[in-house]
Structures are given as C-alpha cells and as structure tokens.
Amino acid sequence: MILRKPYAFIIKHFKKIHILLFILMSYGIYKTNNISSFFASYVRNSTGFYESTLAKTYANPLFYFICFLIAILSLILLILMKQKEKPTKLYFIITLLYIGVIILISMDSGYLRTINFEQLSPRNSRLLRDINLIALFPQIVLIFLVLIRAIGFNIKKFNFAKDIEDLNIDVSDNEEFELTFGTNPDKLNRILRKNQRELKYFYLEHKPMILGILLSLFLFLGWTVYYRVIVLNKIFNQNEVVRINNISYKIEGFYSSNLNYRSENITEGNNIFLILKLRIYNGNEYNIKLNTENMRIIIGENIYLPIIRKYDEFKDIGNGYEDNIIDGDSEASYIFVYSVPNQELSKNMLLRYAERISFDVNGVTNRYLKYYIKPESLDEVSIFPIAELGKEVNYTISNLKNTKLKINSFETNIKFSYGIDNIINVINDPMDNRIIMKIVYDYTPDESVQYVSSFEKLMKEHGSIRYYKQGKEYVINYKDVTPSKNILSIAYYSVLDDIVNAEKIELVIKIRNLIYIHKLK
C-alpha cells in the first residue's frame, strides 16, 4: 500500500490546525469551568436533590471526545516539531494536560452520577472544586499560546515573515512511501532500536518535567484511592462504634419481623419489616438532629427509607426517631423501621447515612457512615412454662428488660368492696351476666421502659385473659373497673359470668415473639 507522508499537509495548514485547536480548547475551558462552578455552588449551598442527568450534562461524551482530539492534535504537532527540530514543550504540555483532563472528567462523572445517591462531604466537594479549578488555569494560559501560533508563531522564538520557511518544507515532506503488511524482523528491530533511542533522548531532555508530572499524578491518584476507599467509603461492621465529627454511632440491634409488640401479625403483602436500633452520642457542645430520609438501607440497587407510621408497632424495641433533638454531650437510642420484599432478606445489606450539609461557627460539617448489616429474625415465637400463683416472672430476655410480675391471688364475685378514708366503696357491674374478677399482684417495672410503667399499662399493651371450657379456648373481653384512687396492687375487671365454670383461667403477656403465661385458676 502506498501512502503519503502528512508533514507537508500539516505545515501548509499549520495555522488552520491551531485555529481548530484553539476552538476545541475553548470548549474544554468552558466545560471545565462549568464543572468547577457546579462544585463551588455545591459547597456554598445546602444539599438538595439534583437532576439524575448531571453526569450527561457536565461530563458528556462530547467533552471526552474533544479532550481526546486535542491530545491527538497536539501529539501530532509535537512529532512534527520534533522532526523539524523546533520547540516541542508547548505541545508536550498540552498533550499531558488533556490526558489528565480526561482522567479528571472520569472522576467527576463518577461523583455526579451518585450525588443524589450519596451526598458529598464538604471536604470532598471542595477538593473536586479546587482540582477542576487547578485544571482550568493552565488551559487558559495554553490557549493564549495556541492563539499566538494560530495568528503567527511565538513572538520570541519565530520570525513572522519566515514562519513557513523556517519549517523547511521539502520534497521529502510530501513524498510517497510504501507501507508493507507483513513482518520484516531486521527492519522491525531497527525501528524499535531507533524509537528506543529517541524515547531515551526525549526522556533525558525532559527528565525533570516528566518525573514531576509522574510523581504528581502518582501522589494524586494514590491519595484519591486512599481517600475514596479508606476514608470516605470505609464500611464498618455491625458491632463497631463509629465516631465521625465528634458524634458516635452504635447499632444496638437490627431485626426482621412481621409481628408487632403485641405479637400480632402485621404483614403487608409480600414484605417484611426491618427494625434498626441505633444509639447516638453527641460529643459536641451544640444540639443536633438526624436526617431521617438519609438513614437508608441499600440492598443491591434498591434504596429503602424509614417508615415513620410504623414506629408504634415496634415501640417495645425503642422509640422511633422523628426529628428529635439530641442535646450536646448526651446520648439517645432510637429505632428506624423499613419495609422490604421478603426475597431481599437473603441479600447483602448496607446501612448508609449522610446528613445534609450544615453551617455553623466552625464552618461546613457533615455526618457520614456506612455499616454492613444483617437482620436477626424476631418471628420465632417462644412460649414459657406456666407460672403458678405466687411465682415471680422476670421478663429480662424480652424488650421489657428487668420488669417483674407476680400474681399473688385471684378470685371472682358479683361485687367487691374496699375502704378509702373510712368510706366503704363497692365495685360491681350492673349489667346482666357480668361478674368482677379480682387480681392481687406485685409489679416492678423497669424504669427505662416507660410505656409499661404500671400494671394497668402492661395489661393494656401486652396483656390478655383467656379461659378453657369443655376443651375450648376463649379470650375474655374484659373491662377495667379498677378505682382511679386505688393505691394497692389490686386490679378489678368486669367479665362475663361464663368464666365461673371455666376449667382453667390464664393471664397471658405477649411481648412480640415471647409469650408468658400466669395461672389464675
């Protein structure tokens, strides 16, 4: 195949090529400035939701192509100037710069694609802003030098009247040469040795600059990888305490269940509930709030947010977080509830939390953490042996912690009387077919479990009474008629008189998947 050397064409169109290069670099400067301005705006403003097409807008394929074309053109001009023994530094710098810009675009694109998925920390957004700004300045300087070449070569190094003449166009620049397909070992070896020598000379001539660029690139890439993998994207194990920005986080429990605190099934479709219990210590002097929407569970490509309306179904596990304020130098424990398809349970899960950027006297701050998490099922029901009258039951292994209950006695009658301030009061139910049930108990609640701070509340939230008659089980629909001024550990309930002939009567306490039974009769 016969081809023609391109040198004469390039020399004749030298200015036009530089005008094209100038136009392409102008676009590169415009796009680099846009990206830098975006990250500068991101640093200044509170975070919000951005368009999902950010990467296509700021780091589109055309930007990649333009930078690649600039690098190719400058490389061609570098080779030409080398052949003609003219200064090559300008084209060498342009080539390296736009290779670096291509790498920078790729990095920017990665952040822009996930900016709604995981918010950037202030440090990271400032870093991106500054790197793009640093990449912008040399482009501005170089484009002026290219413009000078486009209208007439470098003022200090070239004579305008002899520009084309100085490039020494001769017949050899336009001569034909034969391109042979196939292998010629001797010729190939000569070419390789020649290129090796020229590369060696080129390296020795530009050694300080090449080493400086390589070292800078190595340090930058090394630092970027370290920051992204070790600092920014470090993922902690579920049992680790994570301290970020003087705030400590600890996962106290992560559960899956479709039973509520009363052991009632609350299944919704094919989904199951996940319950995250998180303890937070605020080591700062100022108060903080968590961003509930950013407390996300990631399973594959799916993102799940807390469901506040379901908090009450799991109040035995903890208090649901709803914009609660955590005071400075204090700690608090909250739960977050999620609903996910059953098939997601077998997959790897990640807890990801990133708070919105906030501003205070110390500057811009951000809270950010990631945890590998695996749920523990709470749906396997356990029934404890029946407790006889007079036997104390400790609910230690349940979410009621150190709460204790002992039923001392039980009896039924049409009415009961009691005295207060030397006045005899009668407890009865005038309705037909009703009798009064009297239960004498000792109840010691755990102080940290406020929603069952009394026996009355325990029965309301977790208790029921059932009886057996002729082998069938019945649940009593009772009415609490305990006097409001009652200071004794006695409860009175109005029930159907059908209970009198019951074979056995039991008080049942259901705490999620744990069932405790107290014998009454």
Side-chain angles (χ1 to χ4, degrees):
M1 182 184 292
I2 306 299
L3 299 178
R4 190 178 300 277
K5 290 183 178 181
Y7 301 136
F9 176 84
I10 295 174
I11 294 171
K12 289 179 180 178
H13 298 87
F14 199 81
K15 292 184 179 181
K16 292 180 181 178
I17 292 173
H18 278 76
I19 291 173
L20 175 61
L21 195 59
F22 173 80
I23 295 172
L24 296 176
M25 290 177 67
S26 298
Y27 180 82
I29 290 172
Y30 167 74
K31 295 296 291 184
T32 306
N33 181 63
N34 280 355
I35 296 176
S36 178
S37 299
F38 170 80
F39 286 116
S41 174
Y42 190 93
V43 169
R44 289 193 303 270
N45 302 318
S46 297
T47 59
F49 291 101
Y50 294 89
E51 296 179 2
S52 59
T53 57
L54 281 176
K56 293 181 180 179
T57 302
Y58 290 96
N60 53 33
L62 179 60
F63 192 12
Y64 281 99
F65 177 74
I66 293 296
C67 291
F68 177 76
L69 192 57
I70 292 172
I72 292 298
L73 284 176
S74 57
L75 181 62
I76 292 173
L77 292 171
L78 171 66
I79 296 172
L80 171 65
M81 301 300 277
K82 183 73 176 177
Q83 291 286 338
K84 296 300 179 179
E85 298 181 353
K86 296 295 181 180
T88 60
K89 289 183 180 180
L90 173 63
Y91 306 105
F92 176 73
I93 294 173
I94 293 175
T95 303
L96 286 184
L97 175 62
Y98 279 91
I99 291 174
V101 171
I102 292 172
I103 296 173
L104 179 59
I105 298 170
S106 300
M107 185 177 69
D108 290 337
S109 179
Y111 282 102
L112 292 171
R113 288 178 191 279
T114 60
I115 204 165
N116 271 330
F117 179 65
E118 62 173 280
Q119 295 174 350
L120 294 179
S121 66
R123 180 183 299 176
N124 216 25
S125 54
R126 286 196 298 268
L127 176 65
L128 289 168
R129 175 200 63 189
D130 295 342
I131 292 176
N132 282 277
L133 201 58
I134 291 171
L136 179 63
F137 289 147
Q139 291 184 67
I140 295 173
V141 173
L142 293 174
I143 197 172
F144 279 108
L145 297 178
V146 169
L147 179 61
I148 292 173
R149 292 288 176 93
I151 60 177
F153 290 103
N154 190 304
I155 297 172
K156 294 183 178 180
K157 295 183 179 296
F158 291 88
N159 184 329
F160 282 85
K162 298 181 179 180
D163 285 341
I164 303 301
E165 182 181 343
D166 284 347
L167 285 174
N168 299 324
I169 302 177
D170 54 35
V171 176
S172 65
D173 289 327
N174 200 37
E175 67 182 3
E176 294 180 343
F177 63 96
E178 184 176 356
L179 178 63
T180 305
F181 292 96
T183 57
N184 186 333
D186 294 335
K187 185 176 181 180
L188 182 61
N189 288 333
R190 286 196 303 273
I191 293 173
L192 289 176
R193 286 195 297 269
K194 177 183 177 183
N195 289 336
Q196 185 177 2
R197 287 194 304 272
E198 290 184 351
L199 184 61
K200 180 179 179 181
Y201 296 147
F202 181 82
Y203 168 75
L204 292 175
E205 181 181 353
H206 302 285
K207 183 176 179 180
M209 181 185 298
I210 293 174
L211 291 179
I213 292 173
L214 291 177
L215 179 61
S216 299
L217 186 61
F218 175 78
L219 292 175
F220 171 74
L221 292 177
W223 184 89
T224 301
V225 171
Y226 169 80
Y227 184 74
R228 288 286 295 174
V229 176
I230 304 301
V231 179
L232 183 62
N233 285 321
K234 182 176 181 180
I235 304 177
F236 298 89
N237 293 321
Q238 188 169 319
N239 59 349
E240 291 186 78
V241 176
V242 181
R243 184 178 176 85
I244 301 176
N245 295 329
N246 213 26
I247 299 175
S248 299
Y249 302 86
K250 177 177 174 57
I251 295 179
E252 294 187 305
F254 184 54
Y255 313 102
S256 65
S257 180
N258 270 333
L259 297 177
N260 69 1
Y261 69 97
R262 294 179 58 86
S263 197
E264 298 168 339
N265 193 306
I266 55 172
T267 302
E268 293 183 350
N270 191 39
N271 281 18
I272 190 167
F273 293 102
L274 299 178
I275 307 95
L276 169 71
K277 188 173 185 180
L278 187 66
R279 179 166 292 276
I280 306 103
Y281 170 71
N282 179 15
N284 298 297
E285 296 180 357
Y286 52 86
N287 301 339
I288 64 168
K289 274 188 178 183
L290 302 182
N291 186 344
T292 307
E293 289 185 357
N294 281 350
M295 191 68 70
R296 304 175 178 184
I297 288 180
I298 314 297
I299 307 177
E301 298 296 325
N302 299 318
I303 302 174
Y304 300 94
L305 306 182
I307 305 173
I308 294 177
R309 63 181 174 83
K310 287 295 181 181
Y311 281 175
D312 198 54
E313 302 287 359
F314 302 93
K315 62 184 178 183
D316 60 310
I317 299 176
N319 297 320
Y321 185 83
E322 297 183 68
D323 292 331
N324 302 74
I325 294 175
I326 303 174
D327 297 332
D329 194 24
S330 67
E331 66 177 11
S333 181
Y334 295 101
I335 65 168
F336 301 84
V337 179
Y338 307 81
S339 179
V340 306
N342 274 299
Q343 59 268 26
E344 298 277 48
L345 281 182
S346 60
K347 300 179 182 179
N348 294 328
M349 300 184 187
L350 187 72
L351 172 66
R352 189 193 310 270
Y353 174 65
E355 188 177 85
R356 296 181 189 275
I357 294 176
S358 58
F359 299 85
D360 54 33
V361 294
N362 298 317
V364 183
T365 57
N366 191 44
R367 278 64 167 161
Y368 187 87
L369 79 158
K370 295 178 184 177
Y371 273 109
Y372 287 120
I373 49 177
K374 185 176 182 180
E376 171 189 350
S377 176
L378 296 180
D379 283 350
E380 185 177 346
V381 177
S382 297
I383 302 175
F384 292 88
I386 298 174
E388 300 289 335
L389 287 173
K391 181 180 179 181
E392 183 180 74
V393 175
N394 194 326
Y395 304 129
T396 306
I397 66 172
S398 75
N399 291 320
L400 301 191
K401 300 180 181 178
N402 201 34
T403 298
K404 302 173 184 178
L405 174 64
K406 180 173 66 173
I407 305 298
N408 296 313
S409 65
F410 162 83
E411 59 181 307
T412 59
N413 208 332
I414 295 176
K415 64 180 178 180
F416 288 94
S417 60
Y418 68 98
I420 296 180
D421 298 330
N422 297 321
I423 300 175
I424 301 301
N425 297 279
V426 177
I427 300 174
N428 66 343
D429 191 335
M431 299 291 293
D432 293 338
N433 304 323
R434 306 290 291 188
I435 63 170
I436 304 303
M437 175 188 295
K438 178 183 177 181
I439 298 175
V440 181
Y441 61 87
D442 288 328
Y443 180 66
T444 307
D446 189 296
E447 293 182 357
S448 65
V449 189
Q450 291 298 312
Y451 80 97
V452 288
S453 58
S454 66
F455 180 75
E456 177 188 1
K457 292 181 179 179
L458 175 71
M459 289 297 294
K460 180 181 178 181
E461 299 291 357
H462 295 285
S464 64
I465 299 173
R466 68 189 182 191
Y467 68 96
Y468 294 85
K469 189 175 180 180
Q470 297 179 351
K472 292 184 179 181
E473 178 185 318
Y474 300 90
V475 177
I476 295 176
N477 183 17
Y478 64 86
K479 180 172 65 175
D480 192 345
V481 292
T482 306
S484 59
K485 294 183 179 181
N486 179 39
I487 59 174
L488 302 174
S489 295
I490 302 175
Y492 298 93
Y493 300 113
S494 172
V495 299
L496 290 173
D497 58 8
D498 188 52
I499 198 174
V500 174
N501 299 318
E503 298 158 4
K504 61 179 179 179
I505 306 173
E506 297 170 340
L507 186 151
V508 182
I509 303 295
K510 293 183 178 181
I511 310 169
R512 188 160 298 286
N513 60 326
L514 304 177
I515 299 177
Y516 298 85
I517 302 173
H518 297 263
K519 180 180 179 180
L520 299 179
K521 178 182 176 181

